[in-house]
Amino acid sequence: MLTASLDRTTARAAIALANRAPSVHNSQPWRWRIEPASIHLFADPSRALPATDPEGRDLRLSCGAALHHLRVALLAAGLATTVHRLPNPALPDHLAAVEVLSGVPSPDDLALARAIETRRSDRRMFSSWPVPSQMLDVLVHDADRQGARLDVLERDSHRYAVARLVEHAAVQQALTPDLAEETAEWTGRSRGAREGVPAANVPAAPEGTVPVRHFAAGGQEQSVLGRHESDGTVLALLSTAGDDPLDQLRAGEALSAVLLAATRFGLATDPVSQPLEVAATRAELRSSVLGGTASPQLLLRMGWAPISATPVPPTGRRPVTDTIDRLDASPR
């Protein structure tokens, strides 16, 4: 296939959709550069969260999710892609060069692009309706296609272990200098905020199978379940064979693929990164849940929102022009 030309209007529209990707604390830690036949993705260290994410793992995962969103958006516009990940060892913040080619989207490709606009992180409890195994099999397959592994945690021992590790990670982070201030800076924001987590997207009552991370404020009504009904969260663990920056970028791409496919199915989803941000709890997840065979990257809650649940409001995004560098800008 021959390289296709890329007009700036199409590129900006695709980047606007890519910017809808989930990111830690909705920090949107990426920048883009548009060239005649390619789009380049850069990490933005100025938007890093050093207390929450001292190793930059969440940042690279977030950028990986944006990269996959970009690929989906471009294909919906008739442009297939070839991705060169970490193309320049001398510039570690240059995460990907996305070369565009002529392509023809399928109906499934178009549906996946539409899911970008409707996906939300729902931190509330889910109904007890079972998620069909066929749906979960599709999500496992989609993660595998992106170079990652998705394990659905069906054993009660694994689910209890995850809940315990989330609590342990929260305690460790509470003792981390500057973390409370960083969390307060990025969360508890108003609905109109262009970045960060609004209070309207955080349950005021955090009960559920997996404890919700502490945010600066929570103003969202918790889902009301039926009598004798308990939280029906399906827990899954996303992992990769290794744990270098490329693995973390790939994990973010797999996260995006799983979230968009789940959204198409009508599932509510919620990425959970807190126990992966603490070395001790991440190591225990690797040993107790994965048997030491893979590197855990992210947990994912999935399920059906109750019929009575109010829709989750969208979180804000920065103006697309604020995320695009000039072609002649200095490398970051």
Side-chain angles (χ1 to χ4, degrees), residues 109-124:
D109 296 327
L110 296 175
L112 208 62
R114 288 193 294 270
I116 290 176
E117 292 283 10
T118 56
R119 183 208 62 82
R120 306 282 188 269
S121 292
D122 192 341
R123 299 175 178 87
R124 300 172 296 182

Side-chain angles (χ1 to χ4, degrees), residues 128-252:
S128 58
W129 305 332
V131 177
S133 60
Q134 297 92 328
M135 288 186 180
L136 297 175
D137 289 345
V138 169
L139 302 183
V140 170
H141 174 70
D142 287 347
D144 181 71
R145 288 181 61 194
Q146 302 302 322
R149 166 178 154 186
L150 186 72
D151 287 282
V152 178
L153 307 185
E154 298 177 342
R155 291 167 51 182
D156 286 343
S157 60
H158 286 164
R159 293 166 62 84
Y160 295 147
V162 166
R164 178 175 53 84
L165 290 174
V166 171
E167 292 174 343
H168 286 184
V171 170
Q172 290 299 313
Q173 289 190 324
L175 301 174
T176 301
D178 301 325
L179 191 139
E181 292 82 359
E182 187 174 86
T183 301
E185 178 185 355
W186 283 95
T187 69
R189 297 193 173 190
S190 66
R191 282 181 182 264
R194 292 176 170 177
E195 58 195 0
V197 180
N201 292 72
V202 178
E207 65 267 9
T209 297
V210 178
V212 174
R213 184 202 292 267
H214 173 75
F215 292 91
Q220 185 180 37
E221 290 187 7
Q222 180 60 268
S223 293
V224 177
L225 304 181
R227 189 176 182 183
H228 305 308
E229 188 179 13
S230 59
D231 182 11
T233 287
V234 172
L235 272 178
L237 181 58
L238 190 66
S239 63
T240 50
D243 193 28
D244 61 17
L246 178 58
D247 291 306
Q248 293 155 16
L249 190 68
R250 287 280 197 180

Side-chain angles (χ1 to χ4, degrees), residues 276-295:
L276 287 307
E277 294 162 359
V278 176
T281 51
R282 187 169 69 247
E284 189 165 346
L285 272 174
R286 174 182 168 87
S287 61
S288 64
V289 177
L290 296 175
T293 60
S295 296

Side-chain angles (χ1 to χ4, degrees), residues 18 21-24 27-32 41-45 56-70 93 95-96 248-253 255-256:
S23 58
V24 57
S27 54
Q28 304 164 51
W30 48 68
R31 297 199 68 81
W32 307 95
L41 168 63
F42 293 81
D44 187 347
R57 302 170 55 85
D58 286 347
L59 184 150
R60 286 183 286 273
L61 278 162
S62 301
C63 288
L67 173 59
H68 182 265
H69 270 44
L70 179 76
D93 289 338
L95 298 180
Q248 293 155 16
L249 190 68
R250 287 280 197 180
E253 293 178 81
L255 171 66
S256 168

